[in-house]
Amino acid sequence: DPSGNSIYVITGANAPTASSGLVPNPVNKAVHQDIAVDTWKKKGDRWVKTGRSYYTFAATGGVDWWVGPNWLGIGTSWTATWATGRVFDETTNRKVGNGTVASILQTTPEEDNEFKAYLDTFVGKEDGYSLARHNCRMFSQWMFQKAQAKFPNRDVINAK
């Protein structure tokens, strides 16, 4: 995105690290997804880009039964699994430029800050985790859909 104002889904190279309770592995690195958003600070009358924040949903190793109709409170999706997952802010474990951008939503600095604040409300939240459905990819893609709904007049660019 030439403007640098974006919300992204990023695939690969940004797998969860040991700090988020997982040991990275090559398969996870190949399929893992994050939702990322550019960060901004107002300096006088202009916006200055300060970086990018990354969020993911990853298994924690916890064992518990999760059954419910509203996964993470973000949508109607029944969960029935024994594994626990948690939303992590992985910003300190990521490097801008790693991975492949799968989708971009072109936004404004104000919208990016608003969406970052929304994502921050999920950090630490736990729910059922499964490789088949309730995982990092579903979390990232659903959050991207939430961003599209919040900012409906913005352009979406999907990877080819």
Side-chain angles (χ1 to χ4, degrees):
D1 171 26
S3 70
N5 307 339
S6 296
I7 296 168
Y8 315 81
V9 172
I10 300 176
T11 303
N14 295 341
T17 63
S19 69
S20 65
L22 294 178
V23 176
N25 65 64
V27 174
N28 196 18
K29 282 187 160 199
V31 298
H32 182 80
Q33 285 189 335
D34 290 330
I35 182 86
V37 60
D38 290 331
T39 56
W40 300 87
K41 184 166 72 173
K42 191 107 182 205
K43 199 169 201 174
D45 62 347
R46 64 185 185 94
W47 288 96
V48 177
K49 186 173 177 180
T50 58
R52 188 179 293 163
S53 291
Y54 297 81
Y55 301 84
T56 196
F57 182 76
T60 63
V63 177
D64 201 355
W65 276 101
W66 294 90
V67 179
N70 194 7
W71 185 66
L72 286 171
I74 59 175
T76 304
S77 179
W78 274 92
T79 305
T81 183
W82 56 268
T84 299
R86 181 180 306 134
V87 177
F88 293 94
D89 178 339
E90 286 290 308
T91 303
T92 59
N93 298 314
R94 302 293 190 252
K95 182 178 176 193
V96 174
N98 284 356
T100 303
V101 175
S103 301
I104 299 172
L105 182 65
Q106 295 177 316
T107 50
T108 67
E110 294 91 344
E111 290 166 341
D112 287 346
N113 285 346
E114 178 184 339
F115 198 67
K116 181 190 180 313
Y118 176 71
L119 289 170
D120 285 342
T121 67
F122 287 91
V123 174
K125 195 169 196 177
E126 291 187 339
D127 209 323
Y129 178 90
S130 73
L131 285 174
R133 183 157 167 81
H134 298 92
N135 53 42
C136 61
R137 297 179 71 85
M138 184 175 183
F139 175 75
S140 298
Q141 291 163 17
W142 273 23
M143 286 297 165
F144 192 80
Q145 290 170 7
K146 294 286 186 188
Q148 288 177 277
K150 269 184 171 309
F151 314 118
N153 298 321
R154 297 293 172 209
D155 291 333
V156 175
I157 301 168
N158 292 304
K160 295 179 180 176

